[in-house]
Amino acid sequence: EEEEEAWAAMLVCSDGEGGVRCESRVGLPGNPILGEGKPENQNVALPFCHGERVQMVDMNQEGYWEEALKMRPLLQEFESSAKAGPVTVIGFPEHIFTQSSGFVTAIFIGLQERYFGSFVQRVLDEPLDVRLHYGHPDLLDKLHFATRGGVSKASKEINLSEDIFSGYKTVLAGGCVVFREYHLVGKGRPTNLMEITGFFAKLSSGSAASLTTRDVARFAASAPLVKLFSYYYSAIAFYVHDVIVMHVTVLIPYLLAMLALVGLDHRFNNYEAQPLSLFALLPLLLSLMTAVPALCMVL
């Protein structure tokens, strides 16, 4: 009889002679890569991590010596937070070092990351208390997540934004997420416009797919109304709002042309009686739709 194929996760290191040797091995029931590759690899590697905390760092990130000196007080945040429950995720900002490359798109993505990675998450933490886990470079309580199915969820398509499900998981289990700005990690972002567009398309698709999961349904059923509205704007509503803005921007010229064809444009554009005419009012309202929620998040 043919022997059945055996699967195992292995921790390997250099043997000092140009080869590799196995440090430890964990048996697996089968091929571990059933869903999305990144979260599957994270969960398979979790048993080999030493200690009680684990940091989620991407391959396009780097550390700084002076920031490494802050790791000790950052780890202490797990024990000294004023949150109601145990702290299981600690988030902090990123420094986009590709912003200095000089490309306009690199400057744009650097400013965008500064806005979301610092200003918005600061407000999501306090006072809204709806910050979840957005992947790198957060610190996680390894023991908490190892007993709850891992640090990510990996089902195909439905868990496209795999990191945020750790946030849902820990909040539903009574854990707390905090955000601290005295520590940061360097990160490289794409500088090509098509890559940036693809990245945001992935985020929006993952946000839409997450709405069909049981995690979001349980979170929505247990959250108070104010917290639910805060979560809604920080998640899918951001992309819904962008779609509305784009469609209204295209609709304005057609609306003005239609008013001119039927002879009603003078009723809306009496410059002598109305200093703020329809031509100025609609773009102004459109700008306020974008600016007011964002300013509320920051201020």
Side-chain angles (χ1 to χ4, degrees), residues 31-42:
N31 186 353
I33 309 300
L34 299 176
E36 302 290 344
K38 175 185 172 183
E40 292 281 20
N41 285 327
Q42 288 178 335

Side-chain angles (χ1 to χ4, degrees), residues 206-221:
S207 180
S210 68
L211 296 182
T212 64
T213 63
R214 290 174 292 180
D215 304 79
V216 174
R218 291 167 181 165
F219 179 81

Side-chain angles (χ1 to χ4, degrees), residues 9 29 36 47 82-83 88 112 114 131-132 138 161 261 268 286 294:
E36 302 290 344
K83 295 276 187 176
T88 54
Q112 185 274 336
R114 178 66 175 172
R131 187 194 185 273
L132 301 172
D138 289 2
S161 295
L261 287 175
F268 297 91
L286 194 61

Side-chain angles (χ1 to χ4, degrees), residues 70-258:
K70 305 174 186 176
M71 185 56 70
R72 178 64 183 86
L74 191 66
L75 290 172
Q76 192 63 30
E77 297 284 352
F78 282 104
E79 312 296 337
S80 58
S81 176
K83 295 276 187 176
V87 174
T88 54
V89 179
I90 299 177
F92 43 91
E94 297 170 320
H95 167 241
I96 310 301
F97 53 80
T98 50
Q99 184 175 351
S100 60
S101 63
F103 293 102
V104 175
T105 49
I107 297 173
F108 161 75
I109 199 67
L111 294 175
Q112 185 274 336
E113 188 65 34
R114 178 66 175 172
Y115 169 74
F116 175 76
S118 296
F119 301 146
V120 172
Q121 294 200 36
R122 179 190 305 160
V123 180
L124 293 179
D125 177 38
E126 293 290 345
L128 300 182
D129 194 26
V130 290
R131 187 194 185 273
L132 301 172
H133 172 52
Y134 304 106
H136 45 78
D138 289 2
L139 277 169
L140 275 63
D141 186 334
K142 175 195 166 185
L143 300 180
H144 174 86
F145 286 97
T147 56
R148 288 167 175 81
V151 296
S152 298
K153 285 196 172 182
S155 298
K156 281 286 187 182
E157 297 183 358
I158 195 171
N159 296 135
L160 187 59
S161 295
E162 70 284 341
D163 301 314
I164 196 172
F165 289 94
S166 297
Y168 294 137
K169 187 187 304 182
T170 189
V171 170
L172 291 173
C176 296
V177 182
V178 299
F179 182 71
R180 298 295 180 260
E181 297 186 59
Y182 59 81
H183 181 78
L184 57 83
V185 169
K187 183 173 180 64
R189 282 292 191 187
T191 58
N192 181 277
L193 185 59
M194 294 304 297
E195 292 178 352
I196 295 174
T197 303
F199 172 71
F200 279 102
K202 185 255 185 187
L203 294 181
S204 58
S205 300
S207 180
S210 68
L211 296 182
T212 64
T213 63
R214 290 174 292 180
D215 304 79
V216 174
R218 291 167 181 165
F219 179 81
S222 60
L225 184 62
V226 175
K227 189 173 183 177
L228 194 58
F229 279 129
S230 301
Y231 162 74
Y232 173 69
Y233 180 76
S234 65
I236 188 63
F238 174 81
Y239 303 102
V240 173
H241 170 262
D242 280 356
V243 171
I244 294 174
V245 168
M246 288 188 292
H247 282 78
V248 171
T249 303
V250 176
L251 182 63
I252 287 176
Y254 286 100
L255 175 62
L256 297 177
M258 186 63 66

